[in-house]
Amino acid sequence: MPIIAIEEHWSMPDLTAALRALPYPDESLVFGEMEDNQECLEDLDAGRIAAMDAQGIDLSILALTPPATQPLPPGEALALSRAANDVAAAAVARNPARLRSMSTLPMSSPKDVPAELERAAGMGHVGTMVYGRSGDLFLDDPVYDDFFGVASELGQPVFIHPQLPSKAVRDASYRGFDPMTELALATFGWGWHMDTATAALRLILRGTFDRHPDLQIVLGHWGETLLFWLDRADSISRIAGLQRSVSDCIRSNFHITASGMLNPAHLRHALAVTSVDRLIFATDYPFQRPTKEEIRSFLGHFSSETERRKFSYGNAASLFGIDL
């Protein structure tokens, strides 16, 4: 049975250097420098394919590692987004049977985002990965509505990936420990996921899916907590004057990845609140590296071969337009 993994990260030295040169570099960049992560992130050729073979993954969808180009000034963000999209497209061209890619967009320059999405889609990128905030602009800001309209028209799924919470949020909620504990609490331990769930919920409450009913969003980490809080989130729907409830949008416009968190309890809950047609496999490489045996064991928790096929490759192939 084929396996498609959709959240497989990479990085580009020029972009890393630009991010490091910012007055206040994103502290989460340190995760890309731990152990052999940097080497793995930068390898889009033999090493990448060998890692996929070891895990039993047939096709990976590449996505630039956070924070991508979003913290950069507009001009630099545009130039490096275009460069990254060119590099990823070239990697796919070298290994078309094994790789696809999601584009990177210059979100700090909203006026340039739709055109770069169109250019990237024309190059073969099968979707795009963005973050919940660029500077002081939330993803649901009206300046991004044209972007969502174009994504919907082009059939380009939008993956909302976690990012480091803003300084104000970190100061209010994630301080008071040693620096690495603070960073862990603000990122993979808690903050990343709350921040991303809030971004997704804000998109729904802004009426984005009333205006763009065909728009498809992807969330990692089993829905970034939203699946576990739908009852309460639904109670906002009427107050916000939505045409459709929060839970209806989640079940109709959102796809959920495992992000390497192969926990049967998460799977059971996801199946209880949404359908198997909305669940997609991902490893979050190289930050999570489940073994081939762990992946096979997890697939055994699905109740039928049909469900396993949908999760392991069918849903991803349908959403991203991939022929295996």
Side-chain angles (χ1 to χ4, degrees):
M1 178 169 52
I3 295 179
I4 297 176
I6 76 162
E7 187 185 355
E8 314 310 295
H9 293 295
W10 71 283
S11 67
M12 187 172 67
D14 287 353
L15 174 58
T16 302
L19 292 168
R20 281 288 178 202
L22 291 171
Y24 300 100
D26 188 308
E27 293 171 56
S28 68
L29 288 169
V30 70
F31 299 136
E33 299 167 355
M34 292 179 172
E35 300 176 342
D36 65 342
N37 284 349
Q38 197 65 46
E39 178 182 352
C40 293
L41 287 166
E42 293 180 3
D43 190 338
L44 296 178
D45 291 290
R48 174 79 52 159
I49 302 302
M52 291 167 57
D53 289 342
Q55 292 179 294
I57 293 169
D58 295 274
L59 188 142
S60 286
I61 300 182
L62 303 172
L64 204 58
T65 198
T69 62
Q70 288 204 204
L72 297 173
E76 195 171 15
L78 176 59
L80 283 169
S81 293
R82 291 175 65 89
N85 292 334
D86 291 346
V87 169
V92 171
R94 292 193 298 273
N95 279 292
R98 304 301 302 275
L99 301 176
R100 295 293 186 277
S101 60
M102 283 188 272
S103 64
T104 298
L105 299 175
M107 301 301 283
S108 61
S109 184
K111 66 181 178 61
D112 293 313
V113 170
E116 183 56 19
L117 178 63
E118 290 181 338
R119 189 184 81 93
M123 296 169 64
H125 291 269
V126 296
T128 191
M129 180 174 281
V130 301
Y131 300 82
R133 173 183 40 79
S134 185
D136 294 329
L137 285 177
F138 287 105
L139 193 55
D140 63 285
D141 191 285
V143 297
Y144 293 124
D145 201 57
D146 286 347
F147 154 56
F148 288 115
V150 170
S152 179
E153 290 169 11
L154 294 176
Q156 289 270 296
V158 178
F159 196 127
I160 306 176
H161 194 276
Q163 68 181 145
L164 192 66
S166 68
K167 182 181 183 302
V169 171
R170 290 189 69 191
D171 288 346
S173 301
Y174 300 118
R175 299 298 187 189
F177 303 94
D178 65 89
M180 282 306 295
T181 301
E182 288 182 349
L183 183 60
L185 179 62
T187 55
F188 61 84
W190 191 255
W192 267 348
H193 314 295
M194 298 300 104
D195 202 68
T196 309
T198 301
L201 187 55
R202 287 180 63 100
L203 272 183
I204 297 172
L205 298 178
R206 187 72 71 180
T208 304
F209 303 98
D210 293 341
R211 294 188 300 280
H212 309 294
D214 296 327
L215 177 65
Q216 296 298 310
I217 301 292
V218 183
L219 291 177
H221 309 97
W222 294 106
E224 310 292 3
T225 75
L226 270 180
L227 295 190
F228 300 89
W229 209 245
L230 275 185
D231 286 351
R232 298 292 279 186
D234 248 352
S235 64
I236 317 174
S237 305
R238 178 179 55 80
I239 295 171
L242 300 181
Q243 297 173 24
R244 297 158 55 205
S245 67
V246 170
S247 60
D248 182 55
C249 290
I250 291 292
R251 292 168 183 141
S252 302
N253 298 91
F254 283 75
H255 297 259
I256 308 299
T257 81
S259 300
M261 300 167 60
L262 304 185
N263 185 329
H266 295 332
L267 171 62
R268 288 193 295 271
H269 184 77
L271 289 171
V273 296
T274 190
S275 74
V276 69
D277 298 318
R278 293 275 154 181
L279 304 183
I280 297 177
F281 179 77
T283 75
D284 203 6
Y285 179 87
F287 306 106
Q288 301 288 334
R289 306 187 199 184
T291 66
K292 182 184 294 187
E293 292 71 26
E294 289 169 336
I295 293 169
R296 286 176 176 171
S297 175
F298 182 74
L299 291 176
H301 290 280
F302 286 87
S303 63
S304 70
E305 184 68 11
T306 297
E307 287 192 345
R308 279 188 286 276
R309 289 181 178 275
K310 287 182 176 182
F311 177 75
S312 63
Y313 73 93
N315 293 340
S318 176
L319 179 64
F320 292 100
I322 297 169
D323 293 323
L324 287 180

